[in-house]
Amino acid sequence: MSVAYADIKNSSDEDDALIRVSSDAVRAIEIHETVTSGNSGSMVEVERVDLPAGSSVSLKPGGLHLMLIGPRDDLVAGTSIDVRFVFESGSEMDMRVPVIDRADRP
Ligand SMILES: [Cu+2]
């Protein structure tokens, strides 16, 4: 399982939310959040990431991340994939994000 991170900014003056992420390079992408309790960490899928007007959110190790499900064979750490972010407002954003192998550890 591979993981990817990105910084997402809502530069409009309307509240928005990230609701879907996809890429031709993988079968599916889930938005996960790493939840740490005590010494152990686990991941939960999140349905949406709220983006109030003018705010930004960083997908980073130990927090929100993109879980790449069913990657192509040649998808390895160190490469990048084109990812489409779809927002509640209907807007879409294409971004090239680096792939990190098994970085879902908390
Ligand atoms: Cu995950």
Side-chain angles (χ1 to χ4, degrees):
M1 203 85 85
S2 295
V3 90
Y5 302 108
D7 292 323
I8 300 157
K9 188 171 179 16
N10 176 7
S11 45
S12 77
D13 52 10
E14 302 279 339
D15 291 347
D16 208 346
L18 175 66
I19 55 167
R20 194 153 46 84
V21 187
S22 65
S23 171
D24 289 341
V26 296
R27 185 161 51 78
I29 299 180
E30 293 179 356
I31 308 168
H32 281 189
E33 182 160 30
T34 301
V35 179
T36 309
S37 60
N39 290 330
S40 64
S42 59
M43 301 188 299
V44 292
E45 186 176 0
V46 299
E47 295 293 321
R48 55 184 282 129
V49 178
D50 286 319
L51 285 164
S55 73
S56 60
V57 64
S58 291
L59 279 58
K60 57 180 190 293
L64 290 164
H65 56 275
L66 304 177
M67 208 82 212
L68 309 180
I69 314 288
R72 295 183 318 219
D73 291 344
D74 61 349
L75 181 56
V76 293
T79 60
S80 298
I81 61 171
D82 292 315
V83 173
R84 171 158 295 181
F85 297 87
V86 181
F87 298 91
E88 194 171 56
S89 63
S91 66
E92 298 180 347
M93 181 173 64
D94 291 326
M95 212 191 296
R96 178 154 273 251
V97 301
V99 173
I100 296 150
D101 194 34
R102 296 177 175 280
D104 51 330
R105 296 179 294 266

